[in-house]
Amino acid sequence: MSENIKRKISEIKYQELIKFFLPLAVMPIIIGVSHNAVNASLARLPFPEITLAVYAVSKSITNIIKSPIHMSRQTVTSLVDDQSSFKFVSSFIFGLGVLYFLMIASLGYTPLGEIVFKKIIGLKDPQEIKFAYQALSIMAFIPLVESIRNIMQGLAISLKKTELITPGVVVRIISISLILLWVTVNQAVAGVTAASGVWFAGIAIEMIFITFALRYTFGSFRGKNGVLASLPNNVTKKVNLKRIIKFFIPIAVMAFLARFVQPVVQSGIVRSSIGTHDLAAYGVSWTLVMIFVGPLDQLHQCSLVYARELNNHNWQRILKFSLAAGTMVSFILAVLAFTQIGDFVLIKLISVSPAISSIVKKVIVAFILFPIIRAFRETFWGVMMQRQTTNIIAAAKIVGLVFVVLVFLILALTVEINAAIIAALALTAGEAADALTISFFIIKNNVLEKIYAENH
C-alpha cells in the first residue's frame, strides 16, 4: 500500500478537527465584535441617530449586492488544486468583485443612488441622502478587497492552515479599534465616513495579512514547494469557466435569497402583532442566538476539506464532532432560556426591559434545536460541495425557505402564541427541512459510499 493511500484512509482525530475548526469558529465572533464596536462609536459622533440609521441601510444594500461573494472561499477550496485551476477560479472571483464594485459605485457616485435612496429606501432628509452617498462611495471598494481576501482564506482552508486566518482577524480588530478611538476623540471625520472606512480597512488588513502569512509559511505561491504546489488533488476534471459557473451559481443564488429571510420573517411578525414588543424581542433573540450559532456555519469546511480522507469511521467522527458542536450551542441557549443567567445577560448586559426579556427567553426556547439542526445540515453541505453538486444545496435551501413561510402562516392562523415565538419555530422548521432534503439526497444516491470507494 502506497503512502498516498495510507494518507487517504488514515484515522481523523478529534484533536485534528478541533485544531482545524476552532480558528474558523472564532472568526465570525471576532468580526461580530468589530461591527458592535463600529455601532458604539457611531453613537458617540455627531448626528448619531441619522448616522446609525443611514449606515445600517447602506450596509444592508452593500451586503445584498455582494452576498454571493461570501461563497468564494468554498469555491476556492472545492475547485483549486494547481496553478491552472487557481488562475481560472481567482480570475472569476475577482471579476465578481469588480462587478459588485460597479453596481455599488453606480449608487454611490451617480444620480441612480438618489433615486434608490428616495423611491425604494424612503430617505427624505437631504442630510440622510448625503450620508448615504458618502457611505456607498466607500463601501463600493469592499468587494474588491473581499474577493482577494476570500481567495487567500480559501487556500488556507484547503491547506488545513486555518490557524493563519485568526491572527489577521485579531489585527483587524485592533487596527479598527485604534482608528475608531482616534475618530471618536477628535471628532474629525463624519461618522458614516469613519464607519464605512473602517469596514473597508478591516477587510483590506485581513487580505494583506493572510496573503503574506501564506507566502511566509510556504516560501512562495508558485514555487516547487509553494502554496499552489502544496494543494491537495481535489479536482478530478479540468477546471474551466463552465464548471466554475455550474458550481458557483447555485450557492450564489442561495446566499442572495438567504438575505431576504429575516426581512420576510420580520414583516410577518409586524403583521401578526399589535405592538412592537414582539418585533423587538425577536430582534434581540435572533442577534443573541446567532452570536453562538454563527461559528457553526463553518462546520461544512470539515467535511469539505477532509472528504479525501473519508471512510465510514472517519465520516462518523466528523458527523459526531459537528453534532457535538451543535449540542454545545443548544445547551448554551437552554441555559439562557431557563436560568437566571439569561436574565442577567438580557437585562444587565444588553439592557432590555424585563417585559421584553420574558418574551426573549421564550423565543430562545423555540430556537433550542436550531443549532443541532444547523450543525447536521452544514456537515452534509460540505459533502455536496466536495462532490460539486451545489444545485442540490440550492434546492434544499429553497425547500427550507418555503417551509419557513408555510409554517409561519399555519401557526399564525391556527394557534394563539407570540408572533416572535412563531417566527423562531418557523425558522427551525425551515432549517430542518433544508437538512432533511440534502441528507435524503445523499443517502438515496449513496454519495458517501461513492466517496469511500474513490478514496480506496
Side-chain angles (χ1 to χ4, degrees):
M1 183 178 291
S2 68
E3 285 298 314
N4 189 40
I5 295 297
K6 286 181 180 178
R7 183 181 64 78
K8 286 182 179 180
I9 62 171
S10 61
E11 181 182 358
I12 297 174
K13 307 287 186 182
Y14 285 120
Q15 298 93 319
E16 185 180 358
L17 290 172
I18 293 171
K19 181 182 177 182
F20 174 83
F21 174 69
L22 199 56
L24 297 175
V26 170
M27 182 171 61
I29 297 175
I30 299 177
I31 291 174
V33 170
S34 73
H35 292 316
N36 287 326
V38 170
N39 290 334
S41 298
L42 290 179
R44 293 170 172 80
L45 292 169
F47 310 107
E49 292 84 5
I50 294 178
T51 300
L52 281 165
V54 172
Y55 177 70
V57 169
S58 303
K59 187 176 177 182
S60 295
I61 293 172
T62 301
N63 277 329
I64 288 173
I65 291 174
K66 72 177 184 66
S67 56
I69 213 163
H70 293 300
M71 292 295 152
S72 51
R73 293 188 193 92
Q74 294 88 335
T75 305
V76 170
T77 304
S78 299
L79 297 180
V80 173
D81 67 348
D82 59 15
Q83 187 169 329
S84 175
S85 55
F86 176 76
K87 181 180 178 181
F88 268 108
V89 174
S90 59
S91 297
F92 176 80
I93 292 172
F94 186 71
L96 287 176
V98 173
L99 174 63
Y100 301 141
F101 161 76
L102 293 174
M103 293 173 68
I104 300 170
S106 70
L107 301 178
Y109 290 96
T110 74
L112 178 62
E114 187 170 359
I115 296 173
V116 172
F117 302 147
K118 286 183 176 180
K119 303 297 183 181
I120 299 178
I121 307 299
L123 301 180
K124 295 180 177 64
D125 190 307
Q127 185 79 342
E128 293 176 344
I129 295 173
K130 177 184 175 182
F131 281 174
Y133 266 114
Q134 290 176 356
L136 289 178
S137 65
I138 297 171
M139 292 179 181
F141 292 91
I142 290 176
L144 299 177
V145 292
E146 189 170 358
S147 62
I148 300 173
R149 181 202 66 177
N150 289 358
I151 291 168
M152 296 302 159
Q153 288 184 346
L155 291 176
I157 292 168
S158 189
L159 291 162
K160 301 179 185 176
K161 294 291 183 181
T162 53
E163 69 274 11
L164 299 178
I165 295 176
T166 307
V169 182
V170 173
V171 172
R172 166 184 175 171
I173 295 295
I174 294 171
S175 301
I176 69 171
S177 297
L178 292 174
I179 296 171
L180 290 171
L181 178 62
W182 178 83
V183 170
T184 304
V185 170
N186 291 279
Q187 305 277 305
V189 182
V192 72
T193 301
S196 305
V198 297
W199 189 16
F200 168 78
I203 296 175
I205 288 167
E206 278 190 82
M207 176 199 73
I208 294 168
F209 187 95
I210 188 63
T211 301
F212 278 96
L214 282 170
R215 186 177 181 85
Y216 176 80
T217 302
F218 291 90
S220 68
F221 274 92
R222 293 181 170 84
K224 184 178 180 181
N225 297 311
V227 174
L228 300 181
S230 303
L231 289 169
N233 184 21
N234 290 328
V235 185
T236 55
K237 298 180 181 179
K238 186 177 180 180
V239 173
N240 52 38
L241 183 60
K242 182 179 178 181
R243 292 194 64 228
I244 296 172
I245 292 174
K246 183 180 178 181
F247 178 92
F248 183 79
I249 292 298
I251 55 176
V253 171
M254 177 198 70
F256 181 74
L257 292 176
R259 289 285 175 183
F260 295 94
V261 174
Q262 289 305 310
V264 168
V265 169
Q266 289 164 351
S267 175
I269 293 173
V270 170
R271 294 174 185 275
S272 305
S273 305
I274 298 175
T276 59
H277 275 50
D278 292 352
L279 186 60
Y282 174 78
V284 172
S285 306
W286 179 250
T287 301
L288 191 58
V289 166
M290 287 310 295
I291 287 173
F292 300 104
V293 172
L296 301 178
D297 290 347
Q298 301 297 323
L299 282 169
H300 67 266
Q301 302 284 10
C302 294
S303 48
L304 168 58
V305 171
Y306 284 93
R308 292 178 66 249
E309 300 168 37
L310 283 189
N311 52 28
N312 185 60
H313 175 75
N314 285 343
W315 165 250
Q316 293 299 324
R317 287 227 157 178
I318 291 175
L319 184 60
K320 288 177 182 177
F321 174 80
S322 297
L323 293 178
T327 302
M328 191 180 303
V329 174
S330 290
F331 176 77
I332 293 172
L333 296 186
V335 170
L336 293 174
F338 295 114
T339 72
Q340 295 299 314
I341 294 175
D343 293 315
F344 174 79
V345 170
L346 292 167
I347 297 173
K348 298 296 184 182
L349 297 184
I350 302 179
S351 300
V352 302
S353 67
I356 296 292
S357 174
S358 176
I359 301 174
V360 169
K361 292 181 75 173
K362 293 175 182 177
V363 176
I364 292 175
V365 171
F367 270 125
I368 282 179
L369 291 178
F370 188 86
I372 299 175
I373 297 170
R374 173 154 292 192
F376 181 80
R377 185 208 71 184
E378 286 288 323
T379 309
F380 285 100
W381 267 21
V383 172
M384 298 314 295
M385 287 180 182
Q386 188 275 338
R387 303 301 291 176
Q388 299 172 26
T389 49
T390 52
N391 58 314
I392 305 302
I393 295 176
K397 173 57 68 177
I398 292 171
V399 170
L401 295 178
V402 170
F403 263 76
V404 170
V405 176
L406 289 178
V407 172
F408 189 98
L409 289 174
I410 292 170
L411 292 179
L413 293 173
T414 57
V415 296
E416 294 185 6
I417 57 176
N418 188 286
I421 297 174
I422 291 176
L425 292 172
L427 284 169
T428 302
E431 197 77 4
D434 184 345
L436 290 173
T437 300
I438 196 165
S439 59
F440 174 78
F441 176 87
I442 287 175
I443 293 170
K444 181 181 178 182
N445 292 276
N446 299 315
V447 173
L448 291 170
E449 287 75 10
K450 292 176 183 176
I451 295 176
Y452 303 158
E454 290 172 5
N455 289 348
H456 285 76

